[in-house]
């Protein structure tokens, strides 16, 4: 049973569904506690300038003020991001930008946000550069999984902690900036304390999460994090979503809709009104809004997609748990020099989407009940699989629902699903390429040909599911601001 | 450098492309040498009654006559195939059908043809049942790969050999029966000698291959076999083919063809005239037959598909070599009790195909140059990847071309591609489900949107490729009979 103690922040124990889970609520009013949380940290090094690196470095600098002597970004000297970091105000002159190994050696706390592939290649050098007593921070459990595969381990003489924001880097920064106006706006995060040699790891990790702007922070383990994070990303958050939308677009085309209307009833409906209603009223809220005929269409879609989604999420989880998925990511990274990742945005469907978004009238986007049923069916399948595997409810709700409807889908609604699939982290891009077509084929070849049947037991399970109560509790912790993406 | 010595059969050394490879030609006129090859074998146990098990048990019984005391089939007593084996003339009464472990214990040579999943679950019990000095025969290197993953090994006191027919079990039996009329008809096979404690392993393995009806038998290693066999099956033989055809069907539909015509220009063209011309005149023969405009269309398809095929075959090979693919098969097998493999044959395209085949006029099936270019582009990509990985030419030609055009594609032409995808070995079905959609997405999202360009260097490489000479030599060894599938 996970639990933690903090003297600096306020632990709350929530009754969430049929369990209790301990969390820490965030907010700008807590920033005056950060000096205590970061006591002993002179230099906080943020390594990497990807979406998470750039967002976290800026949020930490803005929040910490004089709580630490400086927040310093560490990059390879030949990094293409060097100038972007300078543009954001990190400079070699004032010691806030430096060569990554110099920064690692000179920091008391190192937040390591380089790509998974780079982590796999460089972790031994990084470990060698860490001073004894350093607090090593991760935002993803990947490195633990990779060490397990290599039969290797973290150095004994450091803290190992993680804060894992349940949203993309762009949202972590965008909502933090919005949070300057509305206290508490931000992206929820999980935290894990894997090694605590200093005895200060819990306060530091909670301080880090509060400094990022997380409205609430819940506990997990590094292992539970990477299992659920990779499952979610390969499932409903990106891979599954991409495949679902491709299959629905063709399905609506087969039913006689124009390309534009097929796009509106699939992608537009999903990243727009369906996600917005889930965010505000939960999955069950979508269902309740529908007419009797709409509920019937929803139930057909749900009955068709849930069993196949459940099967695929189990396959994904097996692949992650066995180490296959991580090995596969490392191998794919090694192939990149010879075979760069291709883009998908020139395919017919995504060209149509560009056109449809350009002419968008938000009020006219349909909330298609069939699309909602198919999407929520796979979402519920992921939730049930993660419950079966024993993950905390907070983790499940964030990894399956909240990250989708409050971070990723609004972003995709503005920029396009293909944009996300072409521009997310390398690990996520590899995962989307691998799993999206599997969801598409499963739905196209097996679910849609058998459409029409409704499984009443499945729908009853959905209506009575504990997750609705979990989401209701999470919604109370949610700041009253939606992400805004230009 | 692979080589072998035989006193019983006739080794020939062929100049094949820029290399030499040693092979043994088969034929019914060699059956009188089988008693010498199988000297010391009283009972030959064939374990399993899948497509390979049933085909090999019958061919071995028919060929061996009194060369061994008996060919005995071993099955689990609750096997659903028990009655099928009896119908084929194997009975408990005369000692030619028995419980699998009894048969293993009582045989001097054991040909193990159970599914890969069953092999992974049961190999320790099987090894315990083998008498010292037994010759263990496999038709696939899977077990070696699995033992390597488990950190385990074959017992020291047995021979370990393999004969791996380069065609599906149904073809191994069908062509053998046709071979009763036309000497030498059958499916080529590779052989490997992994352990030779009796000193008789080479003669036994060659005898086994000749008894199956292999027109020619070439040498490989167990490891080289499973790497190329799984790559081929996940690539051009099944997974790649399935994905290519799905993408082409939609592509032709997008160009305005009716469903029926789209099916004719994709699936029908590929498993019909394109495969037949490759079989008779090689891949280059297809190209030479085309008009200038046709060659241009071929070149467009080839230029689009080759690079993506090459990338995907490298990914497939990486996944196999790292152990991921085998681990994935074992995990998938464990999920089957809860999630049975679904069928694909109800999807729109395959329903159309059923109709098109019912109305087929063979002479009217088009040899579509674009389809030929896309298919042969991926075929050549597989060939180049396997050459890069150091496989013997005979293995590459059989695993990439001959097995396709002389065994699988004619079978699919008669029964449908979906039928094969739904009815091949569990390992191949898992592989097709995993890789077909990857080929489809790569072609649809990245190759077809960029169509129109021809890469002259790629076409020149194709025209001058050593594989054409390899296939010419292989064709000379080919019996003058085509597989006939009802």
């Amino acid at each position: 049973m996970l639990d933690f103690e903090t003297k600096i922040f306020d632990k709350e124990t929530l009754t969430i569904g049929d369990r209790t889970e301990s969390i820490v609520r965030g907010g700008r009013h807590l920033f005056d506690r950060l000096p205590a949380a970061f006591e002993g940290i002179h230099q906080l090094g943020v390594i990497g300038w990807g979406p998470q690196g750039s967002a976290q470095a800026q949020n930490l600098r803005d929040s910490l003020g004089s709580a630490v002597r400086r927040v310093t970004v560490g990059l390879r000297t030949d990094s293409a991001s060097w100038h972007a970091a300078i543009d954001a105000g990190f400079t070699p002159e004032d010691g806030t930008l430096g060569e990554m190994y110099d920064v690692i050696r000179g920091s008391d706390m190192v937040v390591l946000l380089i790509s998974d592939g780079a982590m796999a290649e460089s972790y031994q050098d990084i470990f060698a550069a860490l001073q004894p007593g350093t607090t090593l921070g991760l935002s993803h459990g990947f490195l633990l999984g990779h060490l397990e595969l290599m039969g290797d381990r973290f150095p004994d003489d450091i803290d190992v902690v993680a804060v894992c924001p349940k949203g993309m880097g762009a949202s972590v920064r965008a909502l933090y900036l919005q949070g300057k106006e509305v206290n508490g706006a931000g992206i929820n995060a999980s935290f894990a304390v894997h090694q605590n040699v200093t005895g200060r790891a819990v306060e530091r990790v909670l301080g880090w999460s509060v400094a990022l702007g997380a409205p609430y922070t819940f506990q997990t383990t590094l292992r539970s994090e990477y299992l659920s994070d990779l499952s979610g990303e390969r499932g409903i958050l990106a891979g599954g979503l991409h495949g679902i939308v491709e299959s629905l677009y063709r399905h609506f085309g087969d039913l006689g809709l124009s390309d534009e209307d097929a796009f509106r009833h699939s992608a537009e409906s999903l990243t727009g009104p369906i996600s917005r209603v889930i965010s505000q009223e939960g999955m069950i809220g979508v269902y309740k809004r529908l007419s009797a005929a709409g509920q019937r269409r929803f139930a057909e879609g749900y009955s068709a997609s849930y069993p196949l989604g459940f099967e695929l999420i189990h396959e994904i989880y097996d692949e992650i748990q066995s180490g296959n998925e991580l090995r596969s990511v490392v191998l794919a990274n090694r192939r990149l020099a010879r075979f760069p990742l291709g883009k998908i945005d020139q395919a017919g469907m995504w060209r149509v989407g560009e056109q449809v978004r350009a002419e968008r009238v938000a009020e006219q986007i349909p909330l298609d009940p069939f699309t909602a049923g198919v999407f929520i069916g796979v979402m519920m399948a992921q939730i049930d699989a993660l419950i079966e595997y024993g993950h905390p409810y907070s983790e499940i709700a964030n990894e399956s629902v909240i990250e989708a409807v409050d971070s990723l889908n609004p972003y995709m609604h503005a920029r396009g699903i293909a944009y996300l699939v072409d521009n997310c982290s390398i690990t996520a891009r590899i995962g989307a390429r691998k799993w999206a077509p599997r969801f598409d084929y499963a739905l196209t070849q097996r679910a849609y040909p058998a459409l029409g049947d409704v499984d009443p037991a499945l729908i009853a399970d959905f209506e009575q599911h504990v997750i609705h109560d979990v989401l209701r509790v999470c919604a109370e912790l949610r700041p009253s601001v939606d992400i805004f993406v230009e």
Side-chain angles (χ1 to χ4, degrees), chain A:
Chain A
M1 184 65 192
L2 287 173
D3 203 6
F4 63 96
E5 291 306 324
T6 170
K7 294 199 171 61
I8 299 176
F9 299 100
D10 306 314
K11 182 172 93 167
E12 294 178 53
T13 300
L14 300 177
T15 300
I16 180 166
D18 48 352
R19 308 180 191 167
T20 58
E21 291 180 6
S22 298
I23 60 124
V24 166
R25 222 182 272 256
R28 290 179 172 262
H29 60 288
L30 301 174
F31 286 4
D32 60 5
R33 305 187 193 182
L34 296 177
F38 283 88
E39 198 190 321
I41 305 293
H42 298 94
Q43 177 171 297
L44 195 168
V46 178
I47 312 302
W49 194 264
Q52 282 293 336
S54 58
Q56 292 200 28
Q58 294 178 81
N59 289 14
L60 286 167
R61 180 190 56 191
D62 295 357
S63 298
L64 287 173
S66 58
V68 299
R69 191 175 308 149
R70 60 176 165 255
V71 173
T72 299
V73 172
L75 299 175
R76 294 189 322 274
T77 46
D78 62 349
S79 167
S81 303
W82 193 267
H83 287 289
I86 290 177
D87 288 345
F90 295 92
T91 64
E93 290 71 22
D94 67 1
T96 58
L97 176 61
E99 191 280 330
M100 70 177 262
Y101 290 102
D102 286 342
V103 174
I104 292 170
R105 267 185 294 270
S107 298
D108 319 284
M109 178 163 173
V110 173
V111 172
L112 191 62
L113 300 174
I114 58 178
S115 74
D116 295 342
M119 203 130 31
E121 295 300 325
S122 313
Y123 77 86
Q124 287 165 314
D125 294 334
I126 292 168
F127 287 176
L130 290 167
Q131 306 294 338
T134 302
T135 297
L136 174 65
L138 306 166
S139 281
H140 184 15
F142 171 86
L143 186 54
L144 174 67
H146 186 66
L147 291 175
E148 286 172 349
L149 285 185
M150 298 286 109
D152 213 336
R153 49 186 302 172
F154 291 103
D156 290 335
D157 57 1
I158 60 166
D159 290 348
V160 180
V161 300
V163 168
C164 310
K166 297 296 139 190
M168 50 196 299
S171 312
V172 169
R173 183 61 182 163
L175 274 168
Y176 179 88
L177 291 175
Q178 289 176 246
K180 291 190 175 177
E181 315 300 323
V182 183
N183 185 25
I187 292 287
N188 296 331
S190 63
F191 82 94
V193 175
H194 189 69
Q195 289 184 186
N196 187 358
V197 299
T198 64
R200 298 176 171 184
V202 176
E203 306 295 5
R204 285 174 182 176
V205 75
L206 292 173
W208 171 16
S209 191
V210 167
L212 288 183
Y216 93 95
T217 305
F218 58 92
Q219 192 175 17
T220 185
T221 65
L222 271 190
R223 187 165 167 76
S224 180
E225 198 284 330
Y226 83 72
L227 288 167
S228 59
D229 182 80
L230 283 173
S231 295
E233 174 177 293
R234 275 132 177 83
I236 200 65
L237 299 183
L241 174 93
H242 173 196
I244 287 168
V245 165
E246 293 256 4
S247 75
L248 284 170
Y249 174 75
R250 280 203 313 282
H251 179 69
F252 286 121
D254 290 345
L255 294 181
L257 270 63
S258 69
D259 288 350
E260 290 72 18
D261 279 340
F263 194 86
R264 285 187 193 102
H265 281 264
S266 54
E268 286 279 283
S269 182
L270 203 161
T271 57
I274 293 170
S275 293
R276 199 167 51 247
V277 175
I278 295 174
S279 173
Q280 291 162 356
E281 301 161 27
M283 288 175 286
I284 196 73
V286 175
Y287 186 67
K288 285 185 180 158
R289 275 195 177 211
L290 299 171
S291 67
Q295 289 191 342
R296 166 86 203 176
R297 281 292 287 157
F298 177 99
E300 283 177 23
Y302 188 98
S303 301
S305 75
Y306 179 96
L308 294 167
F310 196 60
E311 180 179 331
L312 275 165
I313 300 287
H314 274 280
E315 179 175 345
I316 289 169
Y317 204 94
D318 265 1
E319 290 292 294
I320 298 167
Q321 203 164 26
S322 67
N324 281 354
E325 196 72 14
L326 295 187
R327 243 184 312 265
S328 180
V329 166
V330 171
L331 291 167
N333 271 281
R334 290 198 191 132
R335 284 192 306 274
L336 287 180
R338 188 170 179 190
F339 302 112
L341 278 177
K343 297 207 173 249
I344 71 163
D345 64 356
Q346 293 309 302
M349 164 171 189
W350 306 116
R351 299 291 291 270
V352 170
E354 218 174 319
Q355 190 68 23
V356 168
R357 277 197 306 283
E359 297 164 1
R360 179 187 284 165
V361 181
E363 300 68 36
Q364 291 173 11
I365 302 172
L367 193 164
D368 188 276
F370 182 71
T371 294
V374 170
F375 177 63
I376 292 175
V378 176
M379 195 169 244
M380 287 298 303
Q382 177 172 315
I383 290 164
D384 280 342
L386 292 177
I387 289 174
E388 190 179 315
Y389 288 113
H391 290 267
Y393 279 154
S394 287
E395 186 163 70
I396 295 169
N398 275 279
E399 213 56 87
S400 307
V401 185
I402 300 171
E403 180 163 355
V405 299
D406 288 342
S407 169
L408 296 168
N409 294 1
Y411 196 86
M412 292 191 253
H413 199 57
R415 303 269 178 94
I417 293 170
Y419 183 85
L420 186 107
V421 170
D422 284 339
N423 293 281
C424 52
S425 76
I426 301 279
T427 300
R429 286 157 76 182
I430 291 165
R433 271 152 190 76
K434 189 167 165 183
W435 294 102
R438 297 291 310 281
F439 281 90
D440 183 348
Y441 265 44
L443 291 167
T444 301
Q445 296 181 333
R446 294 167 56 200
Y448 300 156
L451 272 184
D453 289 344
V454 166
D455 182 341
L458 212 52
I459 302 302
D461 284 349
F462 168 65
E463 292 186 272
Q464 295 147 22
H465 205 284
V466 67
I467 195 69
H468 307 307
D469 190 43
V470 174
L471 288 172
R472 191 188 47 70
V473 173
C474 293
E476 286 165 14
L477 297 166
R478 186 172 175 275
S480 56
V481 57
D482 291 326
I483 186 170
F484 171 73
V485 185
E486 290 175 49

